[in-house]
Amino acid sequence: MEHIKTVDICIPVYKPDPEFAAMLKRLAKQDYPIHKLWIVNTEEKYWDTSFEKEYPHCHIMHISREDFNHGGTRRLMAESSDAELILFMTQDAMPADQHLVGNLVEAFDEQGVKAAYARQLPRKECRMMEAYTRSFNYPAVSCTKSQADLPTRGIKTFFCSNVCAMYEKKTYMELGGFPERTLFNEDMIYAGHLIQAGYKIRYQAEAKVIHSHNYSNRQQFHRNFDLAVSQAEFPEIFQTYPSEGEGLKLVKSTAAYVCKKGKPWLVVSLFTGSFSKYAGYFLGKRFKKLPGWLVKRCTTNPGYFTR
């Protein structure tokens, strides 16, 4: 009889809303059995206790917003799990169908695969350029990435998104898991360690979630600042394979796309948005040289820099 791997789902939550409730309903209807659902809620006062009544298999942990960080909070959930596979999701990642979990599990049938991440589809209200970014980063064709891809894929080899990503628990523990403390990018940091250790990462396009954002230029600046800070703090992963080249590819490809679609005026907002992203990234890479007051103005999490 074929062994059915146990799967736990881990979701950090802040101010859960009706969309989160809808997400839980879709997870409850998955055709692959879920062992446990771990939820770390940031700020107990925002928690809706009806979730626990409706989904009794949920295991809830409450922490303060000051205690949340991208790596440490997910480490807490991973270490609490006793499943063979751990699926990390964000509270706004909506399963596109009932096959999400099962399709991710199938990725681990390939020898050497120790992590797998899902395809992200744009929401209905997603702007054209953001929708194109989804298709650029999450194409319709699956692929497996290993050390052999570093010369051609560069930093994309390490790409893995905890919006919806599954990991083998045994290997996760052996490699030390997510960093205890990081502002951002905990998924790519661990993925980099996986690749460096000789393992593989699977992009499983058949596993799909609906997830996108219409960020303002200001929000893009702050996000890219935080992303660059995390890269600067882990040079063993990011120094050899910087992100700038991949970002330039995306800008060029998006510009060609909007022109092809007969909307060349969108190139203006593309370039202003790209400038905001690059400005945030440029400053974030150099955050140690900046005055503390400026760093706190640039980041989405000022508390991270006061410890």
Side-chain angles (χ1 to χ4, degrees):
M1 184 176 177
E2 184 181 357
H3 172 66
I4 298 177
K5 298 182 178 73
T6 53
V7 174
D8 279 1
I9 300 179
C10 299
I11 311 172
V13 174
Y14 178 63
K15 293 187 178 181
D17 56 15
E19 184 180 34
F20 178 64
M23 174 194 184
L24 291 182
K25 288 180 181 178
R26 291 201 185 188
L27 288 176
K29 294 178 180 178
Q30 291 295 299
D31 55 14
Y32 193 95
I34 297 169
H35 181 232
K36 293 175 184 175
L37 178 61
W38 296 91
I39 296 174
V40 169
N41 175 58
T42 310
E43 301 294 0
E44 189 169 359
K45 64 182 178 181
Y46 296 122
W47 180 251
D48 184 345
T49 55
S50 66
F51 291 138
E52 292 166 89
K53 295 174 183 176
E54 193 167 354
Y55 305 98
H57 65 299
C58 288
H59 297 259
I60 316 297
M61 295 177 275
H62 298 285
I63 62 173
S64 68
R65 192 173 184 183
E66 291 72 27
D67 289 332
F68 173 84
N69 84 74
H70 278 256
T73 301
R74 287 178 172 86
R75 278 179 72 97
L76 173 65
M77 288 189 278
E79 290 167 4
S80 300
S81 169
D82 60 357
E84 294 168 89
L85 298 171
I86 311 172
L87 172 57
F88 284 91
M89 300 181 71
T90 55
Q91 71 186 73
D92 58 349
M94 188 67 69
D97 54 40
Q98 71 270 32
H99 310 303
L100 171 67
V101 176
N103 280 330
L104 283 170
V105 172
E106 285 183 11
F108 293 83
D109 292 340
E110 183 176 341
Q111 187 174 5
V113 169
K114 303 298 180 182
Y117 63 102
R119 184 182 182 190
Q120 295 183 29
L121 303 174
R123 298 172 183 271
K124 290 180 180 178
E125 68 274 16
C126 185
R127 293 193 295 251
M128 176 187 279
M129 287 191 294
E130 174 59 20
Y132 180 75
T133 298
R134 295 290 114 184
S135 65
F136 183 88
N137 289 325
Y138 303 95
V141 180
S142 302
C143 69
T144 302
K145 299 178 290 185
S146 68
Q147 280 186 359
D149 294 296
L150 285 169
T152 54
R153 290 184 182 270
I155 197 169
K156 289 282 277 189
T157 311
F158 303 145
F159 188 74
C160 183
S161 175
N162 269 348
V163 165
C164 187
M166 185 176 282
Y167 304 91
E168 184 191 74
K169 172 73 181 290
K170 180 175 180 290
T171 303
Y172 173 93
M173 296 302 293
E174 288 174 355
L175 295 182
F178 301 127
E180 182 68 45
R181 187 171 182 272
T182 183
L183 185 59
F184 207 66
N185 247 4
E186 80 293 334
D187 37 25
M188 284 186 68
I189 293 166
Y190 175 67
H193 290 145
L194 266 181
I195 293 293
Q196 290 174 346
Y199 296 118
K200 299 175 183 177
I201 299 167
R202 177 74 176 171
Y203 167 57
Q204 193 77 333
E206 296 78 14
K208 293 169 284 191
V209 292
I210 301 167
H211 177 265
S212 61
H213 293 284
N214 290 322
Y215 288 125
S216 66
N217 289 346
R218 183 186 181 90
Q219 289 171 316
Q220 293 283 19
F221 172 89
H222 291 308
R223 284 178 57 82
N224 275 43
F225 180 87
D226 289 349
L227 181 148
V229 167
S230 67
Q231 291 191 5
E233 290 185 320
F234 291 88
E236 74 277 11
I237 301 296
F238 298 105
Q239 195 168 50
T240 306
Y241 303 100
S243 299
E244 291 92 333
E246 201 57 39
L248 186 58
K249 276 186 198 175
L250 176 58
V251 172
K252 290 179 177 179
S253 184
T254 306
Y257 175 77
V258 297
C259 289
K260 182 180 178 181
K261 290 292 183 180
K263 297 186 177 181
W265 59 87
L266 289 178
V267 172
V268 176
S269 58
L270 169 65
F271 286 145
T272 57
S274 299
F275 177 80
S276 297
K277 290 180 183 179
Y278 183 72
Y281 183 85
F282 181 87
L283 291 174
K285 290 285 277 190
R286 295 155 179 81
F287 80 99
K288 292 179 181 178
K289 298 178 181 179
L290 302 178
W293 66 266
L294 180 57
V295 169
K296 291 180 180 180
R297 291 288 298 273
C298 292
T299 182
T300 60
N301 186 2
Y304 181 84
F305 297 93
T306 60
R307 299 184 181 184

